[in-house]
Amino acid sequence: MCGIVGYIGKQKALPILINGLKRLEYRGYDSAGIAMLENGDLQIVKQPGKICELEESVAAANFTGNVGIGHTRWATHGVPDRKNAHPHTDCRKRLAIIHNGIIENYSTLKNELILKGHTFVSETDTEILVHLIEEFYDNNLEQAVRYALAEIQGTYGILVVSKDEPEMIVAARNGSPLLIGVGEEEYFAASDASAIIRHTRDVAYLDDGEMAILNHKTFVTKTIHDKPVTKYVERVSFDLEQIEKGGYPHFMLKEIFNQPETIRDCMRGRLMLENGDVRLGGLEVHLDQMLKAKKIVLTACGTSWHSALIGEYILEELLRLPVEVDYASEFRYRNPVLDPETIVIVISQSGETADTLAAVREVKKMRSPVFGICNVVGSTIARETLAGVYLHVGPEIGVASTKAFTAQVTVLMQIALLLARRKWMSAEEGKKIIRELQAIPEKVEKILQLDQKIQKLAELYGNSHNFLYLGRGYNFPVALEGALKMKEISYIHAEGYPAAEMKHGPIALIDENMPVVFIAIKDHSYDKIISNIEEVKARNGRVIAVATEGDEKIKERADHVIYVPQTLDFLSPLLTIVPLQLLAYHAAIVRGCNVDQPRNLAKSVTVE
Ligand code: M6R
C-alpha cells in the first residue's frame, strides 16, 4: 500500500526522498508529503496527487537539511487531500510521523486523546499515533514511540522524527514491510528496496515487533519491548535498470514484452534436460515431506489466485492428488481442515499481501507445512514460509501483474514436474515437458509480434462497456485473468467464466455490443468451445478467438482470430494470456487511462 522512505546522513535529504518516493509511487499515489529537519525546525510539505506535484511544491523551499522522511499514500481512512496526506504532526508540531498500515483501535484512542486536550486535523487513523507519542514524549523519542506502540492494535510500518532530537529517525514495523538501507555514514529506511537502491544495496529487513533507531553514525535494532536484536545486512540482487522503463512508455508494456526473458530467468539453472528432471534448491530438503502429502492447498489473491487455479489443474493432472484453491482472504477465516499430510503453497508476487500473509500464519498455527512462491526476495512471506521458490523475474512495477503471472505458472509447472518425476514420471516424459517449457519463451516472442494487430482490436472494441472472457480447462483461469487485466486498467467491466457456464446465465448479456473473448486452442475441449462460439454468434455477439496456429476452421466462426503457437495443454496458459495482457493494455490506452497507476489500486495490498 503506502510507500515510505527516510534518510539521515551527509547528503541533502530532499532529492533522496523525492527520488525514493517516485520509485515507491506504484505502492500508492493519491497524495504525498515530506517532513524535513531543517535548521532546528520541522518543515512539512504535503500535496494531493502524484509525486511530481509534491516535487513542484517543494522546489521553491530549497531545503538543505540532511534528515527527512517521505510518504506516498493509498487512502484507507479519509479522502486523498492535503490534510489527510502524511506526514502527520502532534499538537505542538514537534513530531512528524509517516505510516503504512491500519490502526484498528484508532477511534477509541482518538476519543481518549481528545479528552486529554489533543486537537486533530485529519480523518486518518495515523494521526492518533503521533498524538499518542506526544503524550509520552519527554525528549526521548525512542521511548515515546515504544510506549505509544504498546497502546495500539493494528499494522504499521512507521518512521518518526522530532525537531527536539534532530539527529535521529525512529522506525518500527508490525505487519507492514520496512527495511533499513546501510550506506557509509548514512542510513535509509524504506518500505521496499527500490526506493533506496540508487544509493545502497545493503539492507537489513525489520521483522514484526522490531524497531530501529537511525542516526548519522549507526543504526540500532531492538524489539518494541526494548530487547536488542541483531540484524544481518543482506545484498539486494536487482539493478536500477530493472526498475526503469527502459524505453517503453509504461512499466506494464515493458513487463509484458520482457516475458520471454523473465520466463527464461524463472527456469534458469532449474531444468535438467539430460535426465528430464528439475532442481528447486529451496525445496530440496523438504522433498520427502512434499512427496508424502495426501492433499495440496493453494492459496493467494488476485492474479496470484488465478495462477493457483492453473496450478490446481497441473498438480492434479501430474500428481493425481486432490488439490484445493482458496482465496487467502477466505481461507484465513473459514477454519480450514488441515493436517500434517496436507501441504499448503501460498503464491504472492510481492510477498507482502496481508491476507496471504495471514493465511501463512494460520497454517503455521495448525502445524501444516507451508511453502511460498514469491517474487520479492526477502519479503515477509518468503521469510515466514518453511521454504519456497522465487520467481526471479526482477521487480514488477506495473500495478497490473503480468510477468509475475507467467512466472508463477512456470514455477508451479516446475514443482509438479519435480514431484511427478519422483512419483511416477519417466525421464523420457520429463524430457518432453522440459523441451516444451524451454520452447515457451520463443513462442511468447512470436505472440508479441502481434502487438499491432491487437492494438487495432483494442481500438475497435475499446469503447465497449462490457467484455466477456470464456475458456475451458487450463484456460478457464486465463479467462479470469484476461478479464481482471481488462477491468483493472481500462475500467471496462469484464467477466471471466468457464465457457460451458455461459448458458447458465451470462448468455443473457450477449448482443451485438458484447465482445466475447474465447480462448479456443486445439486441446481436448476444442469442439465444445466451438459450439460455445456458435451460441454467441447466434445471438450476434462479437467473437475474438485466441486459437492455435494452423486452425483455419475457426476463422469461419470468429470475427477476429489471434493465433498462438501449439504447445502442451498444461503449458498453454503461458501463451494464451499474452494477447489478453496486450488487449487490456491497448484498451486502457485507447481510453486514456493511467496504465501503471490505475485508479484506486495499489501494487502491494498490505491491508485487509
Ligand atoms: O503480491 P500478490 O501476488 O500477493 O498480489 C495479489 C493481488 O493483489 C494482485 O495480483 C492484484 O490482483 C493485481 N493488481 C493483479 O493485476
Side-chain angles (χ1 to χ4, degrees):
M1 300 262 113
C2 311
I4 65 186
V5 61
Y7 176 76
I8 181 161
K10 46 196 187 256
Q11 302 185 56
K12 280 188 192 169
L14 184 64
I16 294 174
L17 298 182
I18 294 292
N19 190 278
L21 289 177
K22 283 184 181 166
R23 299 284 181 201
L24 292 175
E25 205 168 12
Y26 72 102
R27 296 180 66 96
Y29 33 81
D30 57 44
S31 52
I34 50 147
M36 294 285 304
L37 288 161
E38 197 66 21
N39 303 324
D41 215 353
L42 182 62
Q43 297 285 348
I44 310 260
V45 181
K46 309 204 269 191
Q47 185 67 43
K50 310 260 185 241
I51 306 300
C52 54
E53 291 164 64
L54 174 70
E55 192 175 20
E56 272 173 32
S57 325
V58 290
N62 194 23
F63 291 137
T64 56
N66 44 32
V67 182
I69 56 179
H71 186 270
T72 178
R73 179 169 186 248
W74 184 86
T76 58
H77 297 65
V79 295
D81 60 10
R82 182 173 281 118
K83 74 176 181 320
N84 289 329
H86 300 212
H88 290 286
T89 55
D90 63 324
C91 296
R92 277 171 282 178
K93 312 254 176 298
R94 283 182 305 169
L95 307 169
I97 189 170
I98 54 176
H99 168 223
N100 175 17
I102 290 185
I103 296 166
E104 284 158 12
N105 58 338
Y106 85 101
S107 123
T108 324
L109 291 169
K110 187 168 181 175
N111 291 337
E112 288 170 14
L113 288 161
I114 289 172
L115 288 177
K116 287 181 181 163
H118 290 262
T119 309
F120 286 81
V121 294
S122 81
E123 300 151 52
T124 65
D125 53 336
T126 303
E127 196 187 357
I128 69 103
L129 187 49
V130 73
H131 288 276
L132 204 52
I133 296 170
E134 181 181 25
E135 269 298 298
F136 294 113
Y137 191 55
D138 185 13
N139 276 327
N140 185 340
L141 185 61
E142 177 196 334
Q143 183 171 293
V145 170
R146 182 176 307 114
Y147 289 166
L149 291 179
E151 305 276 314
I152 64 161
Q153 287 151 20
T155 55
Y156 52 82
I158 53 164
L159 299 182
V160 193
V161 289
S162 162
K163 76 173 187 180
D164 297 342
E165 292 171 87
E167 304 287 289
M168 176 191 288
I169 298 177
V170 175
R173 160 186 175 147
N174 184 44
S176 302
L178 200 55
L179 55 85
I180 308 301
V182 182
E184 272 197 28
E185 293 189 15
E186 58 179 0
Y187 295 92
F188 304 80
S191 44
D192 79 63
S194 56
I196 59 168
I197 187 147
R198 192 175 184 183
H199 309 282
T200 180
R201 285 156 161 272
D202 295 330
V203 302
Y205 295 96
L206 291 190
D207 284 308
D208 283 351
E210 290 180 352
M211 60 196 294
I213 300 93
L214 282 56
N215 62 39
H216 286 86
K217 295 268 174 265
T218 185
F219 78 102
V220 176
T221 45
K222 303 179 172 183
T223 68
I224 53 169
H225 305 296
D226 205 15
K227 300 263 176 310
V229 279
T230 309
K231 301 302 305 180
Y232 294 100
V233 175
E234 302 172 32
R235 197 126 178 98
V236 173
S237 56
F238 61 87
D239 299 321
L240 201 52
E241 199 179 274
Q242 283 175 286
I243 52 172
E244 285 176 347
K245 286 189 194 144
Y248 288 90
H250 298 98
F251 282 110
M252 182 184 179
L253 193 64
K254 175 189 174 199
E255 286 158 6
I256 294 172
F257 270 83
N258 277 358
Q259 286 176 112
E261 205 43 45
T262 53
I263 296 172
R264 270 188 206 108
D265 288 344
C266 177
M267 300 189 294
R268 201 180 306 284
R270 291 173 167 171
L271 300 180
M272 294 177 292
L273 183 60
E274 42 322 330
N275 50 1
D277 212 343
V278 176
R279 186 187 299 128
L280 294 172
L283 300 184
E284 235 150 61
V285 293
H286 302 282
L287 267 187
D288 283 347
Q289 196 174 19
M290 294 184 91
L291 288 165
K292 280 188 204 134
K294 298 257 172 7
K295 188 172 101 178
I296 300 176
V297 174
L298 301 171
T299 185
C301 303
T303 287
S304 300
W305 182 77
H306 296 153
S307 56
L309 288 177
I310 297 170
E312 174 186 22
Y313 283 71
I314 298 175
L315 290 162
E316 283 193 343
E317 174 78 25
L318 292 189
L319 304 182
R320 305 305 308 140
L321 274 184
V323 181
E324 263 176 35
V325 178
D326 219 341
Y327 285 113
S329 53
E330 291 297 313
F331 177 84
R332 59 181 289 199
Y333 287 120
R334 75 174 167 84
N335 198 9
V337 181
L338 296 178
D339 58 43
E341 291 185 322
T342 300
I343 59 169
V344 179
I345 304 178
V346 302
I347 308 175
S348 174
Q349 185 287 128
S350 61
E352 301 293 348
T353 300
D355 284 317
T356 315
L357 177 59
V360 170
R361 291 174 179 167
E362 278 304 303
V363 177
K364 284 166 91 174
K365 273 194 224 150
M366 293 187 207
R367 303 193 175 284
S368 285
V370 54
F371 300 94
I373 300 177
C374 294
N375 188 36
V376 177
V377 176
S379 56
T380 311
I381 293 176
R383 286 181 293 129
E384 291 203 11
T385 42
L386 181 61
V389 184
Y390 279 121
L391 303 183
H392 289 315
V393 298
E396 188 180 64
I397 312 278
V399 166
S401 186
T402 52
K403 65 177 181 176
F405 174 79
T406 45
Q408 287 164 343
V409 175
T410 307
V411 165
L412 285 159
M413 185 63 227
Q414 293 178 99
I415 294 175
L417 188 52
L418 170 76
L419 299 179
R421 279 288 283 115
R422 264 137 209 87
K423 278 177 178 266
W424 65 269
M425 189 186 278
S426 68
E428 275 321 301
E429 185 73 6
K431 283 183 198 174
K432 188 176 146 206
I433 296 175
I434 289 178
R435 270 191 216 100
E436 282 297 328
L437 263 172
Q438 287 173 330
I440 291 289
E442 224 168 285
K443 292 181 181 180
V444 172
E445 263 156 30
K446 208 166 168 201
I447 299 167
L448 291 170
Q449 287 166 14
L450 302 175
D451 185 41
Q452 281 187 4
K453 176 176 177 170
I454 296 169
Q455 184 178 354
K456 292 214 170 74
L457 281 179
E459 283 160 10
L460 212 54
Y461 293 107
N463 288 320
S464 306
H465 296 297
N466 298 290
F467 259 82
L468 199 57
Y469 287 74
L470 302 173
R472 284 174 174 257
Y474 294 104
N475 283 295
F476 153 53
V478 173
L480 296 180
E481 175 61 6
L484 177 65
K485 287 292 89 86
M486 185 59 90
K487 70 186 135 201
E488 69 181 336
I489 57 166
S490 75
Y491 320 139
I492 298 175
H493 171 243
E495 297 216 39
Y497 269 95
E501 274 293 305
M502 179 182 64
K503 44 192 170 303
H504 298 287
I507 199 164
L509 298 170
I510 291 172
D511 62 15
E512 65 284 3
N513 297 317
M514 176 64 106
V516 185
V517 178
F518 276 95
I519 301 121
I521 55 161
K522 282 263 185 180
D523 60 7
H524 65 281
S525 56
Y526 177 73
D527 291 334
K528 307 262 180 229
I529 214 152
I530 291 292
S531 308
N532 299 135
I533 293 179
E534 301 283 10
E535 288 155 11
V536 169
K537 288 308 297 172
R539 287 156 184 88
N540 291 325
R542 313 290 291 164
V543 171
I544 302 169
V546 176
T548 307
E549 274 175 6
D551 178 2
E552 292 299 317
K553 205 165 103 183
I554 203 157
K555 279 191 188 156
E556 295 157 21
R557 293 164 173 91
D559 297 282
H560 314 275
V561 183
I562 304 165
Y563 285 113
V564 298
Q566 176 90 51
T567 186
L568 297 173
D569 286 2
F570 44 65
L571 299 183
S572 61
L574 294 171
L575 303 183
T576 51
I577 190 58
V578 178
L580 307 190
Q581 294 168 341
L582 286 171
L583 185 64
Y585 171 81
H586 288 298
I589 298 294
V590 166
R591 296 163 71 90
C593 301
N594 185 337
V595 173
D596 284 333
Q597 294 174 348
R599 73 178 175 212
N600 304 338
L601 292 178
K603 184 66 185 163
S604 173
V605 184
T606 53
V607 293
E608 264 191 66

Short mmCIF file of all heavy atoms in Angstrom, two decimals, residues 300-306 347-354 356 373 376 381 396 398-402 404 408 481 484-485 488-489 598 601-605, ligand 1:
data_model
loop_
_atom_site.label_atom_id
_atom_site.label_comp_id
_atom_site.label_asym_id
_atom_site.label_seq_id
_atom_site.Cartn_x
_atom_site.Cartn_y
_atom_site.Cartn_z
N ALA A 300 -3.98 -17.71 -2.35
CA ALA A 300 -3.39 -16.47 -2.91
C ALA A 300 -4.51 -15.46 -3.13
O ALA A 300 -5.67 -15.74 -2.81
CB ALA A 300 -2.73 -16.80 -4.25
N CYS A 301 -4.18 -14.32 -3.67
CA CYS A 301 -5.16 -13.29 -4.01
C CYS A 301 -4.95 -12.83 -5.45
O CYS A 301 -3.83 -12.89 -5.96
CB CYS A 301 -4.99 -12.05 -3.13
SG CYS A 301 -5.10 -12.37 -1.38
N GLY A 302 -6.00 -12.31 -6.05
CA GLY A 302 -5.91 -11.64 -7.35
C GLY A 302 -5.30 -12.53 -8.43
O GLY A 302 -5.64 -13.71 -8.58
N THR A 303 -4.36 -11.92 -9.16
CA THR A 303 -3.70 -12.64 -10.24
C THR A 303 -3.01 -13.91 -9.72
O THR A 303 -3.01 -14.95 -10.38
CB THR A 303 -2.69 -11.70 -10.92
OG1 THR A 303 -3.43 -10.76 -11.68
CG2 THR A 303 -1.72 -12.43 -11.82
N SER A 304 -2.43 -13.82 -8.55
CA SER A 304 -1.73 -14.99 -7.99
C SER A 304 -2.73 -16.12 -7.73
O SER A 304 -2.39 -17.30 -7.84
CB SER A 304 -1.02 -14.61 -6.70
OG SER A 304 -0.09 -13.60 -6.95
N TRP A 305 -3.97 -15.76 -7.41
CA TRP A 305 -5.02 -16.78 -7.23
C TRP A 305 -5.34 -17.43 -8.58
O TRP A 305 -5.59 -18.63 -8.66
CB TRP A 305 -6.26 -16.10 -6.62
CG TRP A 305 -7.40 -17.03 -6.34
CD1 TRP A 305 -7.50 -17.89 -5.30
CD2 TRP A 305 -8.59 -17.17 -7.11
NE1 TRP A 305 -8.70 -18.58 -5.39
CE2 TRP A 305 -9.39 -18.14 -6.48
CE3 TRP A 305 -9.09 -16.57 -8.27
CZ2 TRP A 305 -10.64 -18.53 -6.97
CZ3 TRP A 305 -10.32 -16.96 -8.76
CH2 TRP A 305 -11.09 -17.93 -8.11
N HIS A 306 -5.29 -16.65 -9.64
CA HIS A 306 -5.53 -17.25 -10.96
C HIS A 306 -4.42 -18.24 -11.31
O HIS A 306 -4.68 -19.30 -11.89
CB HIS A 306 -5.62 -16.16 -12.04
CG HIS A 306 -6.79 -15.26 -11.85
ND1 HIS A 306 -6.82 -13.96 -12.29
CD2 HIS A 306 -7.98 -15.46 -11.23
CE1 HIS A 306 -7.97 -13.40 -11.96
NE2 HIS A 306 -8.70 -14.30 -11.32
N ILE A 347 0.97 -18.26 -2.85
CA ILE A 347 1.57 -17.60 -4.01
C ILE A 347 1.38 -16.09 -3.86
O ILE A 347 0.26 -15.62 -3.64
CB ILE A 347 0.91 -18.08 -5.32
CG1 ILE A 347 0.91 -19.63 -5.37
CG2 ILE A 347 1.62 -17.50 -6.55
CD1 ILE A 347 0.17 -20.19 -6.56
N SER A 348 2.46 -15.34 -3.97
CA SER A 348 2.35 -13.88 -3.86
C SER A 348 3.54 -13.22 -4.56
O SER A 348 4.69 -13.48 -4.20
CB SER A 348 2.34 -13.47 -2.38
OG SER A 348 2.38 -12.07 -2.26
N GLN A 349 3.24 -12.40 -5.52
CA GLN A 349 4.31 -11.65 -6.20
C GLN A 349 5.08 -10.82 -5.19
O GLN A 349 6.29 -10.94 -5.06
CB GLN A 349 3.69 -10.76 -7.29
CG GLN A 349 4.66 -10.02 -8.18
CD GLN A 349 5.37 -8.84 -7.54
OE1 GLN A 349 6.61 -8.74 -7.59
NE2 GLN A 349 4.65 -7.94 -6.90
N SER A 350 4.36 -9.99 -4.44
CA SER A 350 5.01 -9.05 -3.53
C SER A 350 5.56 -9.74 -2.29
O SER A 350 6.50 -9.26 -1.67
CB SER A 350 4.00 -7.99 -3.07
OG SER A 350 2.94 -8.62 -2.37
N GLY A 351 4.92 -10.83 -1.90
CA GLY A 351 5.30 -11.48 -0.65
C GLY A 351 4.85 -10.68 0.56
O GLY A 351 5.29 -10.93 1.69
N GLU A 352 3.98 -9.69 0.36
CA GLU A 352 3.55 -8.83 1.46
C GLU A 352 2.04 -8.76 1.60
O GLU A 352 1.54 -8.06 2.49
CB GLU A 352 4.09 -7.40 1.29
CG GLU A 352 5.60 -7.26 1.20
CD GLU A 352 6.31 -7.60 2.50
OE1 GLU A 352 5.65 -7.74 3.54
OE2 GLU A 352 7.56 -7.75 2.45
N THR A 353 1.30 -9.40 0.70
CA THR A 353 -0.16 -9.26 0.72
C THR A 353 -0.72 -9.69 2.08
O THR A 353 -0.46 -10.81 2.53
CB THR A 353 -0.77 -10.08 -0.43
OG1 THR A 353 -0.22 -9.57 -1.64
CG2 THR A 353 -2.27 -10.00 -0.47
N ALA A 354 -1.49 -8.80 2.71
CA ALA A 354 -1.90 -9.02 4.10
C ALA A 354 -2.68 -10.33 4.26
O ALA A 354 -2.41 -11.09 5.20
CB ALA A 354 -2.74 -7.84 4.58
N THR A 356 -2.71 -13.01 2.38
CA THR A 356 -1.89 -14.19 2.10
C THR A 356 -0.94 -14.45 3.26
O THR A 356 -0.73 -15.59 3.69
CB THR A 356 -1.12 -13.99 0.77
OG1 THR A 356 -2.04 -13.47 -0.20
CG2 THR A 356 -0.55 -15.29 0.26
N ILE A 373 5.59 -19.23 -2.98
CA ILE A 373 6.09 -18.88 -4.31
C ILE A 373 6.01 -17.36 -4.37
O ILE A 373 4.92 -16.79 -4.40
CB ILE A 373 5.22 -19.51 -5.43
CG1 ILE A 373 5.25 -21.04 -5.32
CG2 ILE A 373 5.69 -19.04 -6.81
CD1 ILE A 373 4.35 -21.75 -6.34
N VAL A 376 9.36 -11.14 -4.63
CA VAL A 376 10.23 -10.18 -3.94
C VAL A 376 11.11 -10.93 -2.92
O VAL A 376 10.61 -11.52 -1.95
CB VAL A 376 9.41 -9.07 -3.27
CG1 VAL A 376 10.32 -8.12 -2.50
CG2 VAL A 376 8.62 -8.31 -4.33
N ILE A 381 6.49 -12.93 3.36
CA ILE A 381 6.00 -14.29 3.11
C ILE A 381 7.18 -15.20 2.80
O ILE A 381 7.25 -16.34 3.28
CB ILE A 381 4.93 -14.30 1.99
CG1 ILE A 381 3.69 -13.56 2.49
CG2 ILE A 381 4.59 -15.73 1.56
CD1 ILE A 381 2.59 -13.38 1.48
N GLU A 396 8.45 -6.18 -10.24
CA GLU A 396 7.29 -5.90 -11.11
C GLU A 396 6.70 -4.58 -10.61
O GLU A 396 6.24 -4.49 -9.48
CB GLU A 396 6.27 -7.03 -11.02
CG GLU A 396 5.15 -6.90 -12.05
CD GLU A 396 4.14 -8.02 -11.94
OE1 GLU A 396 3.46 -8.14 -10.91
OE2 GLU A 396 4.01 -8.79 -12.90
N GLY A 398 4.52 -2.34 -12.70
CA GLY A 398 3.16 -2.09 -13.18
C GLY A 398 2.19 -2.68 -12.15
O GLY A 398 2.40 -3.80 -11.68
N VAL A 399 1.16 -1.90 -11.82
CA VAL A 399 0.22 -2.40 -10.81
C VAL A 399 -0.49 -3.66 -11.31
O VAL A 399 -0.77 -4.58 -10.54
CB VAL A 399 -0.77 -1.27 -10.42
CG1 VAL A 399 -1.94 -1.82 -9.64
CG2 VAL A 399 -0.03 -0.23 -9.58
N ALA A 400 -0.76 -3.71 -12.61
CA ALA A 400 -1.36 -4.92 -13.18
C ALA A 400 -0.27 -5.97 -13.35
O ALA A 400 0.71 -5.76 -14.06
CB ALA A 400 -2.01 -4.58 -14.51
N SER A 401 -0.46 -7.07 -12.71
CA SER A 401 0.57 -8.12 -12.72
C SER A 401 0.58 -8.85 -14.07
O SER A 401 -0.47 -9.26 -14.57
CB SER A 401 0.25 -9.09 -11.59
OG SER A 401 1.26 -10.03 -11.47
N THR A 402 1.75 -8.99 -14.65
CA THR A 402 1.84 -9.69 -15.95
C THR A 402 2.97 -10.72 -15.91
O THR A 402 2.73 -11.93 -15.93
CB THR A 402 2.10 -8.69 -17.10
OG1 THR A 402 3.23 -7.87 -16.76
CG2 THR A 402 0.89 -7.81 -17.36
N ALA A 404 4.80 -11.60 -13.51
CA ALA A 404 4.75 -12.47 -12.32
C ALA A 404 3.81 -13.63 -12.57
O ALA A 404 4.07 -14.76 -12.15
CB ALA A 404 4.33 -11.68 -11.09
N GLN A 408 4.77 -17.42 -12.21
CA GLN A 408 4.12 -18.26 -11.18
C GLN A 408 3.67 -19.58 -11.81
O GLN A 408 3.86 -20.66 -11.23
CB GLN A 408 2.91 -17.53 -10.58
CG GLN A 408 3.29 -16.39 -9.66
CD GLN A 408 2.14 -15.44 -9.38
OE1 GLN A 408 1.13 -15.42 -10.08
NE2 GLN A 408 2.29 -14.62 -8.35
N GLU A 481 -8.18 -14.24 -15.68
CA GLU A 481 -7.05 -13.31 -15.62
C GLU A 481 -7.17 -12.24 -16.71
O GLU A 481 -6.89 -11.07 -16.48
CB GLU A 481 -5.73 -14.09 -15.72
CG GLU A 481 -4.45 -13.27 -15.78
CD GLU A 481 -4.19 -12.37 -14.58
OE1 GLU A 481 -4.94 -12.42 -13.59
OE2 GLU A 481 -3.25 -11.56 -14.66
N LEU A 484 -9.68 -9.80 -15.51
CA LEU A 484 -9.15 -8.95 -14.43
C LEU A 484 -8.24 -7.86 -15.01
O LEU A 484 -8.33 -6.69 -14.64
CB LEU A 484 -8.38 -9.80 -13.41
CG LEU A 484 -7.72 -9.02 -12.27
CD1 LEU A 484 -8.76 -8.34 -11.37
CD2 LEU A 484 -6.83 -9.92 -11.42
N LYS A 485 -7.38 -8.25 -15.98
CA LYS A 485 -6.48 -7.26 -16.58
C LYS A 485 -7.31 -6.16 -17.22
O LYS A 485 -7.02 -4.98 -17.06
CB LYS A 485 -5.58 -7.89 -17.66
CG LYS A 485 -4.47 -8.79 -17.18
CD LYS A 485 -3.35 -8.10 -16.43
CE LYS A 485 -3.60 -8.01 -14.99
NZ LYS A 485 -3.26 -9.06 -14.08
N GLU A 488 -9.10 -3.92 -14.48
CA GLU A 488 -8.30 -3.10 -13.56
C GLU A 488 -7.58 -1.94 -14.24
O GLU A 488 -7.36 -0.92 -13.60
CB GLU A 488 -7.37 -3.93 -12.69
CG GLU A 488 -6.22 -4.59 -13.36
CD GLU A 488 -5.37 -5.41 -12.37
OE1 GLU A 488 -5.36 -5.13 -11.17
OE2 GLU A 488 -4.69 -6.34 -12.84
N ILE A 489 -7.27 -2.07 -15.52
CA ILE A 489 -6.55 -0.92 -16.09
C ILE A 489 -7.38 -0.10 -17.08
O ILE A 489 -7.07 1.06 -17.32
CB ILE A 489 -5.21 -1.32 -16.74
CG1 ILE A 489 -5.39 -2.37 -17.82
CG2 ILE A 489 -4.21 -1.78 -15.69
CD1 ILE A 489 -4.16 -2.51 -18.67
N PRO A 598 -3.44 2.49 -12.09
CA PRO A 598 -4.89 2.54 -12.24
C PRO A 598 -5.57 3.06 -10.97
O PRO A 598 -5.05 2.89 -9.87
CB PRO A 598 -5.28 1.09 -12.50
CG PRO A 598 -4.08 0.26 -12.26
CD PRO A 598 -2.89 1.15 -12.22
N LEU A 601 -6.22 1.44 -7.10
CA LEU A 601 -5.42 0.23 -6.86
C LEU A 601 -4.07 0.60 -6.26
O LEU A 601 -3.65 1.73 -6.27
CB LEU A 601 -5.19 -0.53 -8.16
CG LEU A 601 -6.42 -1.18 -8.79
CD1 LEU A 601 -6.05 -1.86 -10.08
CD2 LEU A 601 -7.05 -2.18 -7.84
N ALA A 602 -3.40 -0.41 -5.74
CA ALA A 602 -2.01 -0.26 -5.32
C ALA A 602 -1.34 -1.59 -5.58
O ALA A 602 -2.00 -2.63 -5.64
CB ALA A 602 -1.92 0.10 -3.85
N LYS A 603 -0.04 -1.55 -5.72
CA LYS A 603 0.66 -2.77 -6.12
C LYS A 603 0.63 -3.82 -5.03
O LYS A 603 0.45 -4.99 -5.31
CB LYS A 603 2.12 -2.38 -6.46
CG LYS A 603 2.96 -3.53 -6.97
CD LYS A 603 2.47 -4.01 -8.31
CE LYS A 603 3.19 -5.23 -8.81
NZ LYS A 603 2.45 -5.89 -9.90
N SER A 604 0.84 -3.40 -3.83
CA SER A 604 1.03 -4.38 -2.79
C SER A 604 -0.04 -4.13 -1.73
O SER A 604 -0.08 -3.06 -1.12
CB SER A 604 2.44 -4.18 -2.24
OG SER A 604 2.66 -4.96 -1.14
N VAL A 605 -0.95 -5.08 -1.54
CA VAL A 605 -2.12 -4.83 -0.70
C VAL A 605 -1.83 -5.31 0.72
O VAL A 605 -2.10 -6.44 1.09
CB VAL A 605 -3.38 -5.51 -1.30
CG1 VAL A 605 -4.61 -5.17 -0.48
CG2 VAL A 605 -3.57 -5.05 -2.74
O1 M6R B 1 1.57 -9.55 -4.49
P1 M6R B 1 0.48 -10.53 -4.66
O2 M6R B 1 0.71 -11.51 -5.75
O3 M6R B 1 0.13 -11.24 -3.36
O4 M6R B 1 -0.79 -9.67 -5.03
C1 M6R B 1 -2.06 -10.23 -5.17
C2 M6R B 1 -3.01 -9.27 -5.84
O5 M6R B 1 -3.15 -8.13 -5.06
C3 M6R B 1 -2.54 -8.86 -7.24
O6 M6R B 1 -2.34 -9.97 -8.05
C4 M6R B 1 -3.58 -7.94 -7.90
O7 M6R B 1 -4.76 -8.64 -8.14
C5 M6R B 1 -3.02 -7.32 -9.18
N1 M6R B 1 -3.45 -5.96 -9.29
C6 M6R B 1 -3.46 -8.04 -10.40
O8 M6R B 1 -3.01 -7.44 -11.56
#
